[in-house]
Each structure stands twice: as structure tokens, then as C-alpha cells.
């Protein structure tokens, strides 16, 4: 086959892959072309293997790649393939579309967002300790405003984790003979000062999955306020909301304007207070975001009452996947404040074996207790 | 299949590595295109082994860089031997020619070569450079690696730029404990190794533990395959299968039975929760299914 035809066909095929959300760069296409000159292009299976290697198709995209290859790869007739791609384009699954819809919805609700911002009234005086123990359900808007102020001070208390990486320090830490010798060279072999190094301090990495369904409504706003405060100390925090669908909230979490952000959120997120499908949503998280956001250093926090109408098998396999990757999995459940509560809700019971700590989350005090677990 | 790929497959098999077409194609392309090969997959599927086998059949040296959190350039690339330089300066005394002395102590003699530098300065021919578990290193190290892997040259301020004498064959492995950056991925060719299917696993057992009989090998493979379907926290890899087969051979087993499996299960399952989940009743039914 002529090379020019192959180049065109490859470009069309790569475009089809991109449309399906499989990242293919121009340099990958160049690699693929080089690879195709090295294999037997008449052998379809071999071409497929070579393209997978050269285009760096990740495992989670492998099925989509194979399907597209089956449908579109026919290098004998570049034109026909183009037609197929065009047809496929109209049918394609709209990847990334929810985010766009979300942004558009959010933009339209600017004025409505102002509605719930606490007016300038001075908040009623509450002793701090009392406020800490007050359940969110009983809080007046004034209480909430006071709590927000308490919370903003809390970010700085978030302890940080020492890394294994050693960095040069002044005056403390252990001796660093190599650098000491190096310095001594500059002073004609005299050791004027010993170099030292100690463990680097690392920012905590957090991924929060927050249930925003109707059964959680009273808590959601407060938990999100808490997360915004937390994000100041741990900038790499990723936040997702779920109820019947999963939404990535991270780009919306703007510190400093907590009330506005919350109103934008409730206007923009689909089903802000609808029912829950925990299993489905966590599975969606595992599918799309787990690889990119969670590593060995990441603590995953799930905030939910575990009241689920979905299938628990899906929940279990998603929890297992998260557990095997994260450093720690915390589950915050506001219902735990009730001493009679047993975690028997179907979803909760199914997820429990994969959770490191199950913690209450009904007032500020309980949220503060979460902090050392997130940091350490 | 192209003849070169088939002969690659046969050469790997001769070294005791059963490679299906995917693996042979990837290794061949990485050789032919002169690009590093990034291998991902669960623990114990034989990622590291690819580099070892490659070094063996190319008859060259395997240079290994084990990555870990906190790995820095001084451990990966080069470092000056400061204590020796120090002693040399002291020995020279006060009346030594300072410029000549500088040339002496900043020469190759006083340079400690770490794996990356060793790999590009090898004189005898291209080495196989294995960068193992690259996902364990920091993001910063990944960026540095990118630089070395694109130019195959290293700049040492006191010596100047050192160009690779022969470009090494590079194999990177990752357990996917974090996502490898796109830039590094683009520099490489990519291979994902799945757990082997039944046929392949039997062939691996035959090749690596020839003492195990045909019946035992098949039962082992069937049992391990059924374990992997159970979605464990740590699914057993090929390495575990081989360990277990060796254990059973040492115990003079020629077939699986529930009791032996229960006592040797630690060879396969390395997680307390997985061991506990597989309670007695379920285990014996799995063994039964594997032996019937």
C-alpha cells in the first residue's frame, strides 16, 4: 500500500480515537506510522497490536480502542473510513459534555446565587464550645456564619506529613556528609559548617466524594464549607459530588466566597437534592478519575449516609478498587451521631469492610476530629 | 506475523519467557524504533522479567535503577567522590599546582557512576537499562528522567556534556500506583500486560517448574485462574503461581488436595483479608472445581 494513503488513514483513525476521549498526540501518530512500517500491514491482528503499543493506549481505553479498530481500520480504502468516522461522530457518546452543561447552567444563575447569602445582620453571640457541638440541622443562618469564621482559622492547624525525601535544612536534621565535604572543598578543606538535611514536608492529598442527595441535605452545605476551608491548606484536594450522577466540583471550589460558591453549586449540579445511587457513582469515579487523582499518598473521604437504592455489588467492587489504591479511606456519616444507629443501611453495610475509619459528621467538633486522620 | 516478531517471540521463549504476540510486538518495536518501552500491569505479571530476558538474549549487561520515593539525581545519575577528593587535596599539600590538582580531582576517576550514567557510558555496546517501578519516584524525578531519555546525554558542570556512546535499550516498569505523566509516556512505547490466560499459565509453569507434572500444572493454573476471578485485594501474579508450583513440588504433590492448598495458600495470597475471605468451605469447592 502507498504510504500517503496510510498516513491519511492513520490521521482519520487517530481523530476518531480522540473523539472517543482516548488521548492521541501528534507525536503518537508519528510513532504509529513508524511502527506500521516495521510490521506486516496485511496482518490485521498485528497492526492492531502495533498501534496499541505505538499510540500508548491505556488499559482503561483498550476496549474502546479495539471496538473502533474493528469498525474503522480498513487502510485499503481511506475514503470509506472517513465516511464511517463521520457517521460515528454523530452517534458518539458525548464525553465531557456534563461539565459544559454544568458551566452553562451555573452562568445563568448569577443573580439567583445572591439569594441565600447571609444579610449584613450581626450574628447572635454563641459560646464557641456550644457552637462546636450544635448539630447542623439545628443551626440558624447566624450560627452557620459564625462557624464559617471558626472554620477559616482551622485550615492552618492542618498538620502536614513528612516525606521520605530529604531536603537540605539549616541548623537542624541529620548530618549530610556529602554536602559537608562539598562545602569544605570551597574553604580549602576546612569544615567550617556541617551541612544537614531532614525530611521534606508534604502537602496532604485528599479526594472527597460528597453525597448531595435529599437525605443528606442539611449536612451537605456545611460539609462543603468545611472542605473549602480545608482546600486552603491542602491545595491539591479534589472534590466530587454525587447523588444520581457524579460531578467533579474541584473547579468550582473557590475559597473566600463560600456562600456564593454553594449557591452556584446547588443551581448547577444536576439533582442537587435528589436520591442516591452510591454504587453507580463510585463506579463512575473509579472509571474516570481514580487513576489520575488517587495514589498511595492520597486519603479518600466519602461523606454519605449510605442510604442507597442501587445495587450493592457495584458499590463493593468500586470500594475495593479505591481501597487498594488509596492510603486511607474515611467514611463520614452524619447519622452516626445517633447512639442507636447501626451501620445496617444496605450500602453502608456493604462498604464497611473497605473503610479504615467510620466517623460521625454532624457537627463542627466531629469534623475537627477528622483533621489528624487526613494529615497524618 | 512478521518474521522478526516471530523470532523475537522464539528468542524470549528460549530464555524461559512465554511471550504472547502483544509482548513480542512491543519489545520488537521498541528495539527497531529505538524507543524506551513503558510496561504497566499488576504486580507479578512479569514486567521486570522482560528487561532481564532482553539482556540475556542480547548477551549484554542489565543495569537496573530501582525507583523509590525520595530517589534523587545523586543516586540515579552521578556523584563526585567527595571524601576521596578531600584526601587528594590534603595529600597534595600547600605547594601543589592548584589548576593541575583541580583537573585531577574533577576527572572521571573521582566520579561515582550511578545507573543512568553507567548505562549511557558503557563502552562494550548498548546495555539494557531497567528503570523499575518508576511510579514510586517523585514527579520531579520523572521530569528529570524525561530529559535523559530524550537526549541520552548528561551534563556534568565540571566535566561538560557526556554523550551516550551507545543508546541503551530502556525498559520502564510501573505498578500504576500513580498515573505516569503524559510527557514521559509520549517518549516511550507502551505495553500493558494482563494476567495470563489458562493456556499461557500452564506453559509458564512447564517452562519454569519443569518438575511439576502435566496434571499438577493444569490444576495449579485452573485454581489460580479461579482465584483471580474473585476480585481480591491482591490478585496472585505469575510470580506467585511459580512460587506455589515450586512449593507443591517440594512437598511431593502430584495433584491438588484441599488440605495442602489450605496450608500453602500463603504462597498465592499475600493479604490478610484475602486469606480470611477464602474460608474453608469456599476453598474446598474451588479446589474441587480445579481438580475435577
Amino acid at each position: 500500500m502507498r504510504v500517503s494513503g496510510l498516513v491519511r488513514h492513520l490521521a482519520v483513525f487517530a481523530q476518531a480515537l480522540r473523539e472517543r476521549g482516548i488521548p492521541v498526540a501528534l507525536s503518537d501518530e508519528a510513532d504509529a506510522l513508524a511502527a506500521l512500517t516495521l510490521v506486516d500491514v496485511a496482518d490485521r491482528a498485528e497492526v492492531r497490536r502495533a498501534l496499541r503499543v505505538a499510540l500508548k493506549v491505556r488499559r482503561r481505553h483498550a476496549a474502546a480502542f479495539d471496538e473502533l479498530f474493528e469498525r474503522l481500520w480498513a487502510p485499503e480504502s481511506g475514503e470509506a473510513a472517513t465516511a464511517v468516522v463521520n457517521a460515528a461522530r454523530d452517534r458518539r457518546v458525548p464525553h465531557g459534555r456534563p461539565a459544559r452543561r454544568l458551566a452553562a447552567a451555573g452562568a445563568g444563575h448569577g443573580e439567583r446565587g445572591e439569594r441565600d447569602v447571609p444579610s449584613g445582620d450581626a450574628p447572635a453571640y454563641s459560646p464557641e464550645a456550644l457552637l462546636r457541638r450544635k448539630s447542623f440541622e439545628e443551626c440558624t443562618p447566624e450560627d452557620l456564619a459564625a462557624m464559617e469564621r471558626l472554620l477559616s482559622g482551622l485550615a492552618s492547624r492542618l498538620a502536614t506529613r513528612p516525606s521520605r525525601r530529604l531536603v537540605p535544612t539549616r541548623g537542624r536534621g541529620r548530618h549530610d556528609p556529602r554536602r559537608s565535604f562539598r562545602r569544605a572543598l570551597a574553604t580549602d578543606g576546612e569544615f567550617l559548617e556541617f551541612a544537614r538535611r531532614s525530611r521534606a514536608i508534604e502537602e496532604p492529598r485528599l479526594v472527597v466524594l460528597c453525597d448531595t442527595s435529599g437525605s443528606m441535605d442539611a449536612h451537605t452545605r456545611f460539609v462543603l464549607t468545611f472542605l473549602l476551608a480545608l482546600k486552603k491548606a491542602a491545595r491539591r484536594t479534589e472534590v466530587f459530588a454525587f447523588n444520581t450522577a457524579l460531578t467533579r466540583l474541584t473547579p468550582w471550589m473557590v475559597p473566600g466566597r463560600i456562600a456564593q460558591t454553594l449557591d452556584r453549586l446547588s443551581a448547577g449540579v444536576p439533582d442537587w437534592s435528589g436520591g442516591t445511587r452510591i454504587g453507580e457513582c463510585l463506579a463512575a469515579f473509579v472509571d474516570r478519575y481514580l487513576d489520575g487523582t488517587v495514589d498511595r499518598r492520597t486519603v479518600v473521604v466519602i461523606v454519605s449516609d449510605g442510604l442507597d437504592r442501587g445495587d450493592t455489588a457495584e458499590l463493593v467492587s468500586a470500594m475495593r478498587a479505591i481501597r487498594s489504591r488509596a492510603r486511607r479511606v474515611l467514611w463520614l456519616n452524619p447519622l452516626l451521631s445517633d447512639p442507636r444507629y447501626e451501620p445496617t443501611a444496605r450500602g453502608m453495610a456493604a462498604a464497611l469492610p473497605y473503610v479504615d475509619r467510620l466517623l460521625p459528621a454532624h457537627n463542627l467538633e466531629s469534623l475537627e476530629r477528622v483533621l489528624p486522620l487526613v494529615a497524618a | 506475523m512478521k518474521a522478526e516478531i516471530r523470532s523475537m517471540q522464539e528468542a524470549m521463549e528460549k530464555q524461559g519467557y512465554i511471550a504472547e504476540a502483544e509482548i513480542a510486538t512491543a519489545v520488537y518495536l521498541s528495539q527497531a524504533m529505538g524507543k524506551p518501552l513503558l510496561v504497566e500491569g499488576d504486580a507479578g505479571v512479569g514486567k521486570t522479567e522482560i528487561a532481564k530476558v532482553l539482556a540475556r538474549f542480547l548477551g549484554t549487561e542489565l543495569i537496573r535503577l530501582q525507583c523509590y520515593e525520595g530517589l534523587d539525581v545523586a543516586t540515579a545519575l552521578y556523584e563526585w567522590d567527595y571524601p576521596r577528593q578531600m584526601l587528594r587535596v590534603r595529600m597534595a599539600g600547600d605547594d601543589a599546582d592548584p589548576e593541575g590538582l583541580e583537573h585531577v580531582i574533577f576527572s572521571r576517576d573521582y566520579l561515582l557512576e550511578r545507573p543512568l550514567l553507567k548505562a549511557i557510558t558503557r563502552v562494550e555496546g548498548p546495555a539494557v537499562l531497567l528503570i523499575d517501578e518508576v511510579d514510586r519516584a517523585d514527579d520531579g524525578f520523572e521530569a528529570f528522567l524525561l530529559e535523559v531519555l530524550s537526549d541520552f546525554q548528561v551534563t556534568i558542570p565540571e566535566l561538560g556534556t557526556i554523550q551516550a556512546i551507545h543508546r541503551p535499550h530502556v525498559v520502564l516498569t510501573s505498578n500504576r500506583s500513580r498515573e505516569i505523566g503524559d510527557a514521559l509516556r509520549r517518549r516511550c512505547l507502551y505495553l500493558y500486560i494482563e494476567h495470563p490466560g489458562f493456556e499461557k499459565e500452564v506453559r509458564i509453569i512447564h517452562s519454569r517448574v519443569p518438575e511439576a507434572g502435566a496434571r499438577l500444572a493444569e490444576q495449579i493454573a485452573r485454581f489460580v485462574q479461579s482465584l483471580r476471578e474473585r476480585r481480591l485485594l491482591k490478585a496472585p501474579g505469575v510470580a506467585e503461581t511459580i512460587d506455589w508450583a515450586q512449593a507443591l513440588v517440594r512437598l511431593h504433590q502430584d495433584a491438588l488436595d484441599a488440605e495442602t492448598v489450605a496450608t500453602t495458600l500463603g504462597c498465592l495470597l499475600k493479604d490478610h483479608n484475602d486469606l480470611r475471605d477464602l474460608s474453608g468451605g469456599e476453598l474446598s469447592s474451588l479446589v474441587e472445581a480445579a481438580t475435577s
Side-chain angles (χ1 to χ4, degrees):
Chain A
M1 183 184 23
R2 287 194 317 279
V3 173
S4 65
L6 194 61
V7 173
R8 240 182 77 216
H9 188 67
L10 188 63
V12 170
F13 183 60
Q15 185 54 36
L17 291 175
R18 280 191 280 263
E19 304 255 330
R20 274 290 282 271
I22 303 175
V24 177
L26 206 58
S27 65
D28 297 335
E29 285 182 51
D31 283 347
L33 198 62
L36 286 179
T37 61
L38 289 165
V39 300
D40 179 1
V41 277
D43 182 343
R44 213 177 146 77
E46 185 158 305
V47 169
R48 186 177 58 81
R49 289 192 291 265
L51 285 179
R52 264 176 77 157
V53 167
L55 293 172
K56 296 112 193 163
V57 179
R58 290 158 212 220
R59 193 203 190 194
R60 63 171 185 274
H61 298 137
F65 173 87
D66 283 353
E67 189 233 323
L68 280 177
F69 182 85
E70 266 327 302
R71 245 171 355 126
L72 303 180
W73 190 264
E76 287 78 25
S77 57
E79 252 95 312
T82 316
V84 179
V85 174
N86 285 337
R89 218 170 270 179
D90 300 331
R91 281 199 308 271
R92 89 197 133 96
V93 191
H95 275 266
R97 169 108 16 118
R100 242 177 288 138
R101 195 177 60 208
L102 219 157
H109 287 286
E111 288 104 293
R112 240 187 69 189
E114 308 285 314
R115 193 192 44 185
D116 277 335
V117 181
S119 50
D121 297 344
Y125 173 74
S126 326
E128 207 175 276
L130 209 66
L131 195 57
R132 281 182 201 283
R133 297 211 185 88
K134 201 162 187 176
S135 172
F136 298 149
E137 281 145 327
E138 301 158 11
C139 282
T140 60
E142 289 77 26
D143 288 342
L144 283 174
M147 279 188 183
E148 277 176 21
R149 278 201 302 278
L150 268 180
L151 273 175
S152 55
L154 172 147
S156 57
R157 299 220 311 266
L158 186 67
T160 37
R161 189 178 88 103
S163 135
R164 314 264 312 239
R165 197 158 47 97
L166 294 171
V167 292
T169 47
R170 281 183 165 276
R172 61 187 176 83
R174 55 179 108 159
H175 282 279
D176 184 351
R178 296 234 164 250
R179 284 182 58 252
S180 297
F181 273 112
R182 182 98 175 101
R183 273 191 209 172
L185 282 178
T187 50
D188 201 22
E190 293 304 329
F191 289 87
L192 297 180
E193 191 194 4
F194 279 112
R196 291 167 188 277
R197 53 187 195 163
S198 63
R199 290 174 153 210
I201 301 295
E202 241 169 60
E203 224 176 68
R205 296 184 186 192
L206 258 182
V207 170
V208 185
L209 294 147
C210 191
D211 188 340
T212 59
S213 65
S215 58
M216 290 283 295
D217 215 20
H219 307 96
T220 307
R221 288 182 69 95
F222 210 81
V223 169
L224 285 174
T225 312
F226 174 74
L227 291 177
L228 272 170
L230 204 61
K231 208 165 180 319
K232 267 192 244 165
R235 269 163 300 159
R236 297 180 74 161
T237 300
E238 286 278 343
V239 183
F240 297 86
F242 66 90
N243 34 57
T244 52
L246 182 81
T247 314
R248 179 161 175 264
L249 291 189
T250 312
W252 296 42
M253 300 290 282
V254 189
R257 316 180 84 181
I258 288 178
Q260 281 98 322
T261 307
L262 285 177
D263 283 317
R264 275 225 312 273
L265 283 180
S266 46
V269 177
D271 288 325
W272 178 251
S273 308
T276 326
R277 291 204 192 96
I278 304 180
E280 243 170 75
C281 293
L282 291 192
F285 169 75
V286 167
D287 221 38
R288 263 184 285 161
Y289 298 108
L290 186 71
D291 280 1
T293 59
V294 179
D295 63 13
R296 273 186 332 282
R297 280 170 282 188
T298 314
V299 176
V300 176
V301 182
I302 298 168
V303 188
S304 171
D305 52 15
L307 298 176
D308 180 25
R309 336 182 279 224
D311 178 17
T312 54
E314 209 168 11
L315 176 63
V316 167
S317 83
M319 285 303 291
R320 195 188 280 272
I322 294 171
R323 179 76 204 85
S324 67
R325 223 178 140 85
R327 182 154 66 91
R328 184 174 288 163
V329 179
L330 308 177
W331 191 300
L332 307 187
N333 188 335
L335 297 183
L336 271 189
S337 62
D338 187 340
R340 289 160 302 177
Y341 174 78
E342 299 263 331
T344 45
R346 277 197 324 143
M348 192 66 249
L352 209 54
Y354 307 101
V355 173
D356 291 304
R357 296 288 292 271
L358 178 63
L359 300 154
H362 59 287
N363 61 17
L364 192 55
E365 196 181 52
S366 61
L367 285 184
E368 281 180 327
R369 243 180 280 141
V370 174
L371 283 187
L373 291 170
V374 169
Chain B
M1 192 188 283
K2 194 123 170 161
E4 286 91 337
I5 298 176
R6 190 179 299 283
S7 68
M8 173 67 71
Q9 199 172 13
E10 279 158 12
M12 291 178 84
E13 207 155 312
K14 215 175 277 171
Q15 299 295 332
Y17 192 95
I18 311 294
E20 60 261 70
E22 276 82 6
I23 298 178
T25 308
V27 174
Y28 165 72
L29 285 178
S30 121
Q31 293 274 296
M33 293 166 69
K35 291 198 106 184
L37 181 63
L38 170 63
V39 189
E40 287 192 330
D42 287 345
V45 291
K47 301 185 291 292
T48 304
E49 203 60 26
I50 287 187
K52 293 185 181 165
V53 165
L54 195 61
R56 271 207 303 271
F57 86 69
L58 293 174
T60 180
E61 188 185 357
L62 176 73
I63 297 173
R64 178 174 185 159
L65 175 65
Q66 173 67 48
C67 296
Y68 53 88
E69 197 183 333
L71 175 68
D72 58 5
V73 174
T75 352
L77 191 58
Y78 76 93
E79 189 167 27
W80 289 106
D81 194 346
Y82 299 120
R84 272 187 66 218
Q85 286 177 324
M86 207 68 243
L87 287 172
R88 187 73 186 78
V89 172
R90 286 269 158 103
M91 276 184 338
D94 290 337
D95 47 337
D97 159 35
E99 233 165 74
L101 189 60
E102 194 186 319
H103 273 293
V104 173
I105 63 170
F106 287 113
S107 66
R108 292 292 269 273
D109 281 351
Y110 289 81
L111 192 67
L112 299 172
E113 290 190 348
R114 305 298 195 206
L116 289 180
L117 187 61
K118 210 189 271 176
I120 66 167
T121 55
R122 189 174 190 270
V123 192
E124 296 91 332
V128 172
L129 172 63
L130 167 64
I131 302 173
D132 215 1
E133 304 191 319
V134 67
D135 51 328
R136 290 188 183 274
D138 311 275
D139 305 356
F141 184 77
E142 199 179 297
F144 161 75
L145 205 54
L146 194 63
E147 204 181 307
V148 175
L149 291 185
S150 51
D151 302 335
F152 289 99
Q153 65 176 33
V154 169
T155 302
I156 302 175
E158 296 86 348
L159 282 181
T161 300
I162 298 181
Q163 197 81 41
I165 302 171
H166 302 280
R167 281 189 168 212
H169 308 284
V170 186
V171 177
L172 299 100
T173 76
S174 159
N175 282 328
R176 295 192 310 148
S177 68
R178 76 179 166 83
E179 188 100 312
I180 301 299
D182 268 346
L184 183 57
R185 193 182 291 268
R186 296 258 141 78
R187 285 279 183 285
C188 306
L189 296 179
Y190 177 76
L191 170 67
Y192 186 91
I193 304 187
E194 301 275 357
H195 285 293
F198 173 74
E199 307 274 321
K200 185 184 170 192
E201 195 147 35
V202 171
R203 286 179 63 204
I204 292 172
I205 298 170
H206 276 314
S207 148
R208 299 296 293 271
V209 194
E211 305 91 324
R215 189 161 74 118
L216 180 63
E218 276 179 27
Q219 290 182 355
I220 290 173
R222 206 170 294 131
F223 182 78
V224 176
Q225 296 276 331
S226 66
L227 270 190
R228 287 199 195 110
E229 276 164 25
R230 291 179 60 94
R231 304 211 57 166
L232 304 154
L233 277 173
K234 293 251 183 309
V238 179
E240 276 78 21
T241 309
I242 293 169
D243 281 350
W244 194 46
Q246 267 160 353
L248 291 174
V249 167
R250 296 274 184 291
L251 293 171
H252 305 292
Q253 294 286 319
D254 53 7
L256 293 186
D257 62 72
E259 198 187 333
T260 323
V261 172
T263 52
T264 54
L265 203 56
C267 294
L268 287 177
L269 299 179
K270 310 279 175 76
D271 189 281
H272 167 69
N273 291 318
D274 287 343
L275 277 174
R276 197 192 46 204
D277 286 355
L278 214 67
S279 57
E282 274 181 272
L283 187 63
S284 50
S285 70
L286 277 181
V287 174
E288 217 164 277
T291 50
S292 63

